[in-house]
Amino acid sequence: MAATGTCICKLCDCGKHRCGRPALPTVGMPMDSATEYKDRFPAHPLQYAGKKKPPPHVAGSHAPMSSMTENREQFTPKAVPERFKPAKREYHPNLAALEATTGYMADYQRWKDAPPRESSKKPEVYRPSGAFDGITTNKADYQPWAVAQRYRHPKQVYHANPAKLEADSSYKADFAPFQVKRPPPRPAEVFVPAPEDREFRTTMNQSFVGFTGPRPHRRVQAYVPPGTTFEGISTSQADYIPRPLEPRKSCKPAPSVPPELPFDGRTEYGAVFTPKSSVPPKRVPLAYVPPNTVFEGISTMKADYGSTAGAEGRRADFGPHPVYRPEPDDRSWVTETRDQHGVKDVPTCRAVCAKRALGGSKTELHRERDGHIYISAVAPPQQVKPGQRI
């Protein structure tokens, strides 16, 4: 039953309790009383003419077609001159020998003593056969460093809020179940041709002559080779003249032969080369030398240091708490805002007071068809005595 006959939105004075929209029925009943669209809607006559389809072609004349067209009767053949063919020229090579020397031959000089050809064989790689018994320079210069242990933050324990939510969420309060009905299938449309009411005809329709009967087959000309043999001489064979060609000479130089005598001299690289020592220099670590004098002053860290003996240590738990626990304030001054601050009483909403008056958590919310939400108390379960019928 309702709290005082009023809904939540009328009892609320904090602005957080609202009702939803009215659930207007849209299936099974007209909506003339809910809208003004039907009263102002102008009715128009509806005439469905169906799909537009062009009318069938009707021949304007049934006379047979003449075999001679107007274009063929007026055609006059024109005299076309014979195509000009240029005379074919014959190639006559120059049989005289070249007495001069070409630029390539003049610049080319043969080697009297060809240098030895360099070998493309890869140099052999030296690989030790036995195990390495010494100490490498990397291992000799290695010094272990003391690494400080990494600081790890202590794990924080999560404390859940034990308070229970007594009210309903706005999503659950505004939800209204409804039934969904599928629309009926659309009926099939029947084609109705439009009546022919035109009083004129186009020139193409008047001059068109329809033909009846099967379509003629397309003639395909087949290639038939001649049965006789060609005994004459073609123009390509008649114009062919063989040329006396000399065999082509290679311009590649003759292969060089390496000298048989060994190299007794000394190269420039060997003369400038200086042998290096294979032992790297050892790195000497620097030793710390403390000063001989005594520091008699006071450092800035010691001068600014303040003792915290007897003070409360750091709070170990930073999680949320259901109850407010103020921390002790040890400040010797008060801000102007805190001095002028006064405790204010927060008023309680009338909707919450009405819900507490009916039983608090023993109440329930229900929505009416007008969209308003009312508070009602839950009836206690009825006790049934043995042998009693319900």
Side-chain angles (χ1 to χ4, degrees):
M1 311 296 93
T4 50
T6 55
C7 61
I8 285 183
C9 62
K10 295 182 180 180
L11 289 173
C12 175
D13 53 3
C14 65
K16 297 182 179 179
H17 305 84
R18 300 176 183 177
C19 297
R21 298 180 179 179
L24 298 177
T26 59
V27 180
M29 63 176 297
M31 297 183 63
D32 298 346
S33 60
T35 62
E36 300 177 359
Y37 183 77
K38 186 175 181 181
D39 297 340
R40 301 180 180 180
F41 179 77
H44 300 279
L46 180 61
Q47 295 180 0
Y48 178 71
K51 297 181 179 179
K52 298 295 182 180
K53 187 177 181 181
H57 296 283
V58 181
S61 176
H62 297 282
M65 181 178 177
S66 177
S67 59
M68 294 292 292
T69 61
E70 185 179 358
N71 188 11
R72 191 176 184 87
E73 291 178 357
Q74 298 177 1
F75 176 74
T76 304
K78 307 294 189 298
V80 180
E82 188 178 359
R83 186 177 181 182
F84 175 74
K85 295 182 180 180
K88 193 172 183 180
R89 296 179 297 178
E90 297 182 358
Y91 171 71
H92 298 281
N94 190 3
L95 302 178
L98 181 65
E99 299 177 357
T101 306
T102 60
Y104 180 80
M105 197 73 180
D107 297 341
Y108 178 73
Q109 297 179 5
R110 295 181 177 274
W111 294 86
K112 295 182 179 180
D113 298 331
R117 190 173 182 181
E118 296 181 358
S119 177
S120 60
K121 187 177 179 181
K122 295 182 179 180
E124 297 183 0
V125 181
Y126 171 74
R127 296 187 180 182
S129 58
F132 182 71
D133 297 336
I135 300 176
T136 61
T137 54
N138 187 11
K139 190 172 182 180
D141 297 342
Y142 174 75
Q143 296 179 3
W145 298 90
V147 181
Q149 189 176 4
R150 186 179 179 183
Y151 174 75
R152 298 183 181 275
H153 295 273
K155 188 176 181 181
Q156 299 180 0
V157 183
Y158 171 73
H159 297 277
N161 192 354
K164 186 178 180 181
L165 182 64
E166 299 179 358
D168 295 337
S169 61
S170 57
Y171 180 81
K172 188 174 182 180
D174 296 342
F175 177 74
F178 56 90
Q179 297 181 358
V180 180
K181 293 185 179 180
R182 301 186 65 180
R186 187 177 180 180
E189 298 180 358
V190 181
F191 172 72
V192 179
E196 182 66 29
D197 56 350
R198 295 184 297 178
E199 299 179 358
F200 63 91
R201 292 185 179 277
T202 60
T203 55
M204 183 176 179
N205 195 0
Q206 292 179 358
S207 59
F208 176 75
V209 180
F211 297 93
T212 58
R215 186 177 182 180
H217 296 283
R218 184 180 179 183
R219 297 179 181 180
V220 180
Q221 297 181 0
Y223 171 72
V224 180
T228 60
T229 307
F230 181 70
E231 299 178 356
I233 299 174
S234 63
T235 56
S236 176
Q237 189 175 0
D239 297 340
Y240 176 74
I241 300 175
R243 269 79 174 177
L245 302 177
E246 298 180 0
R248 188 176 180 182
K249 298 180 180 180
S250 177
C251 298
K252 187 177 181 181
S256 60
V257 180
E260 300 179 357
L261 300 177
F263 180 71
D264 298 336
R266 192 175 186 183
T267 61
E268 183 179 359
Y269 182 80
V272 183
F273 176 76
T274 304
K276 274 77 175 179
S277 175
S278 59
V279 180
K282 294 185 178 180
R283 184 179 179 183
V284 180
L286 300 176
Y288 172 72
V289 180
N292 299 327
T293 60
V294 180
F295 181 71
E296 299 178 356
I298 300 176
S299 62
T300 54
M301 181 178 178
K302 189 173 183 180
D304 298 341
Y305 175 74
S307 177
T308 57
E312 186 179 356
R314 185 179 180 184
R315 188 175 64 182
D317 185 12
F318 294 93
H321 301 280
V323 182
Y324 173 68
R325 296 185 299 182
E327 297 182 356
D329 192 359
D330 56 350
R331 293 181 294 178
S332 58
W333 47 272
V334 181
T335 59
E336 184 179 357
T337 305
R338 187 179 181 87
D339 190 16
Q340 298 179 1
H341 174 70
V343 180
K344 301 178 180 59
D345 296 333
V346 180
T348 308
C349 183
R350 291 174 54 195
V352 178
C353 296
K355 185 175 182 180
R356 293 177 180 176
L358 292 177
S361 60
K362 298 181 180 180
T363 58
E364 63 179 5
L365 303 176
H366 65 280
R367 182 191 294 272
E368 297 295 339
R369 299 185 65 84
D370 56 355
H372 293 281
I373 302 175
Y374 296 90
I375 308 174
S376 60
V378 180
Q382 186 179 1
Q383 298 181 359
V384 182
K385 297 180 180 181
Q388 183 181 1
R389 302 180 63 183
I390 301 176

